[in-house]
Amino acid sequence: MANVNLSSAKNAKYDEFYTQFSDIQREMNAYLEFDPHVFRGKTVLLPCDDPEWSNFTKYFAQNFETLGLKKLISTSYAPTAAALALPPTLFESASPQFDSTKTKANGKIFTLSRDTTGDDHIDVNDLEWDYLEGDGDFRSEEIRRLRDEADVVITNPPFSLFREFLGWLVDAEKQFVIIGSMNAITYKEVFPLIKADRLWLGNGFQAGNAYFRPLSERDYAAGVYDDKTNLVKFRNVVWFTNIDHGRRHEPLALMTQADNKKFSKHKEVKGVGYKKYDNYDAIEVPYVDAIPSDYKGAIGVPISFLDKYNPDQFEIVGSFNNGIHGTELGAKKVEVPVNGKATKWNGPVIDGKPLYKRLVIRKRV
C-alpha cells in the first residue's frame, strides 16, 4: 500500500473517508484519561457524518451511559450519497418514515437521549432518526442551530473544507475534536489559534499512520487503495482539538548543545552543532529530538514538533515560512534559487538555500 497525499484528496471530487472505530476509541481515551468527566452532561454533535455507517456514531452511542452524555446528535450530507448513487439502506427503507423523495435530497439526523426500547439502558439500539429539512450542509442554518445546541463537536470533515469548518467551530466557541492535514498548522486561519494556545494536536494516530475506509474507490487512489484491508493510508493526518489531554503535558527529554554535538544520531548535528539562519536570529534544529535543552534563544523546528509540543516547556514564537509568516517574524528577505529561478525569500534560509516550513519556538524559563 502506498501513501496518498492529502492534496490529491482535496482535489478529488469526493474527499470524505470513514474513520476506524479503534482510532476514535484511542483518541477519546486520551481525553478521558486526563479528565474522566470530559463528556459528562454534554451534548455531542457529529456533523459531516453518515450515521448509518459512521464509527463516530457507533462509538458515542455504544458508550452513551459510560460517558455520561446528555444527548448525541449525528447528521448526514445528502449530496454525497446522491453523487455516489448509494441506494437507501434496508434500515432506512424499512422504517415507517421512509420517503423515496427525501432520501435523495435530504440529509438525515440521528439522536440519542432516552431509553426507547424499555430495557433501562441507553445505547445504540435507542437511536432515533428522521430526515433533515435540508441537505445537511454544515453551513446551513439548520445545522448551525444544532451546533449552537451542542457542547462538543467531533468529526472527520471533508479535507477540502477544513479551514471553513474550523472557523465555523471557533466562531461558536465550541469544544471540538476534528481530523485534518498536518499542513493545516501553517494556514493563516489556523496558526494564530495554535500560537494563542486555543488549538493543539490531539493524541494522534497509532505510529502516525492514519487508515481510512473510503466512500468508494476513486481514480486518484490507484496504487493507494489496499484491496486486502479496503483502507487508504495517510501519513500526514492528525487530530486537532481544544480539549486537554495528558500527552500534551509530557516534557520532551532533551540533551544539551554539547551532548547533542557529541552524541546525536543525526549527521546534521553530530560533530557539527547548530547553524543559524541567514535571515533570522534563530538556530536551525532539523529534528525534534535534537532540540538543545540549554539554549535560551529562538529555535527553528519542523512543524512535526507540534506532535510533541508541551506548552509548559516551550512557547511558540511564530511560523517561519515564505510570505506573510516570515514577515510577521521579522525575517529578512534574501534572494535564493527556487526551481532554478532567483526568488525573494523571507522563509528559513541556511547557507543561501531555502528550507521547508519551520516553527520558531523558545524554551520557557
Side-chain angles (χ1 to χ4, degrees):
M1 181 196 297
N3 287 355
V4 62
N5 190 294
L6 273 184
S7 62
S8 301
K10 286 182 180 180
N11 294 327
K13 186 173 183 180
Y14 313 118
D15 59 349
E16 298 183 49
F17 298 82
Y18 288 117
T19 311
Q20 293 192 97
F21 188 96
S22 58
D23 286 330
I24 296 168
Q25 185 176 49
R26 182 173 184 270
E27 186 67 20
M28 297 308 124
N29 281 345
Y31 308 112
L32 291 164
E33 288 168 3
F34 188 78
D35 177 7
H37 305 292
V38 64
F39 298 117
R40 189 163 300 280
K42 294 182 178 179
T43 294
V44 173
L45 172 64
L46 313 172
C48 306
D49 216 16
D50 186 336
E52 293 177 76
W53 302 101
S54 166
N55 284 318
F56 283 102
T57 300
K58 291 176 184 176
Y59 172 83
F60 283 98
Q62 180 177 304
N63 293 285
F64 187 92
E65 291 191 343
T66 302
L67 297 174
L69 295 183
K70 175 184 177 183
K71 186 178 182 180
L72 176 65
I73 306 170
S74 182
T75 63
S76 69
Y77 181 53
T80 297
L84 293 172
L86 297 176
T89 63
L90 180 62
F91 172 85
E92 180 184 355
S93 60
S95 298
Q97 64 265 44
F98 173 68
D99 187 309
S100 59
T101 300
K102 287 185 176 180
T103 190
K104 298 177 182 179
N106 297 62
K108 292 190 285 291
I109 178 170
F110 281 59
T111 59
L112 181 61
S113 61
R114 63 194 183 98
D115 173 20
T116 63
T117 59
D119 62 357
D120 296 323
H121 183 62
I122 302 176
D123 59 19
V124 67
N125 297 311
D126 297 298
L127 279 166
E128 302 175 85
W129 80 276
D130 206 340
Y131 294 104
L132 291 164
E133 297 170 6
D135 63 6
D137 191 318
F138 73 88
R139 294 162 291 194
S140 68
E141 180 59 34
E142 183 178 21
I143 305 303
R144 191 177 297 114
R145 289 196 301 266
L146 295 176
R147 175 203 64 182
D148 294 343
E149 178 186 349
D151 301 293
V152 187
V153 178
I154 301 174
T155 192
N156 179 4
F159 296 135
S160 57
L161 297 176
F162 181 83
R163 301 178 202 227
E164 190 172 357
F165 189 78
L166 178 62
W168 185 77
L169 294 173
V170 172
D171 288 346
E173 299 183 342
K174 298 298 177 180
Q175 287 189 304
F176 58 84
V177 185
I178 61 176
I179 295 172
S181 165
M182 172 71 87
N183 288 329
I185 287 168
T186 58
Y187 293 170
K188 64 180 180 180
E189 301 89 347
V190 177
F191 184 74
L193 298 172
I194 293 174
K195 185 179 176 183
D197 207 27
R198 296 175 60 196
L199 170 69
W200 46 85
L201 297 193
N203 185 55
F205 292 93
Q206 184 71 43
N209 295 314
Y211 292 91
F212 298 96
R213 180 165 60 87
L215 287 174
S216 69
E217 293 185 53
R218 294 184 275 286
D219 291 340
Y220 83 87
V224 171
Y225 187 81
D226 188 336
D227 293 322
K228 294 181 180 179
T229 63
N230 296 325
L231 300 175
V232 175
K233 179 183 178 181
F234 293 89
R235 276 289 300 169
N236 56 336
V237 171
V238 294
W239 297 86
F240 289 92
T241 186
N242 58 359
I243 301 177
D244 219 346
H245 57 88
R247 184 165 175 261
R248 183 170 175 255
H249 298 282
E250 293 176 359
L252 280 167
L254 303 169
M255 295 190 292
T256 63
Q257 295 179 72
D259 284 346
N260 268 296
K261 188 172 182 179
K262 286 182 181 179
F263 307 116
S264 176
K265 63 183 180 181
H266 305 293
K267 62 181 181 180
E268 296 91 338
V269 177
K270 188 174 182 179
V272 178
Y274 301 95
K275 294 184 177 181
K276 281 199 170 187
Y277 297 111
D278 298 355
N279 56 338
Y280 185 72
D281 186 16
I283 60 170
E284 158 71 358
V285 181
Y287 302 96
V288 173
D289 61 4
I291 296 173
S293 62
D294 58 345
Y295 190 78
K296 297 180 179 179
I299 303 170
V301 293
I303 62 174
S304 58
F305 164 81
L306 281 185
D307 191 43
K308 304 289 185 182
Y309 172 48
N310 177 346
D312 307 316
Q313 187 177 19
F314 291 97
E315 65 172 316
I316 297 175
V317 177
S319 174
F320 195 18
N321 57 301
N322 195 42
I324 186 171
H325 296 293
T327 303
E328 289 174 346
L329 272 176
K332 297 177 182 177
K333 278 197 172 186
V334 294
E335 194 170 277
V336 297
V338 178
N339 297 324
K341 187 176 181 180
T343 305
K344 289 291 186 180
W345 194 265
N346 62 3
V349 179
I350 293 280
D351 296 334
K353 296 179 180 179
L355 303 180
Y356 191 66
K357 304 170 185 175
R358 293 290 189 264
L359 297 179
V360 177
I361 62 173
R362 192 187 306 272
K363 185 181 178 185
R364 292 193 185 276
V365 178

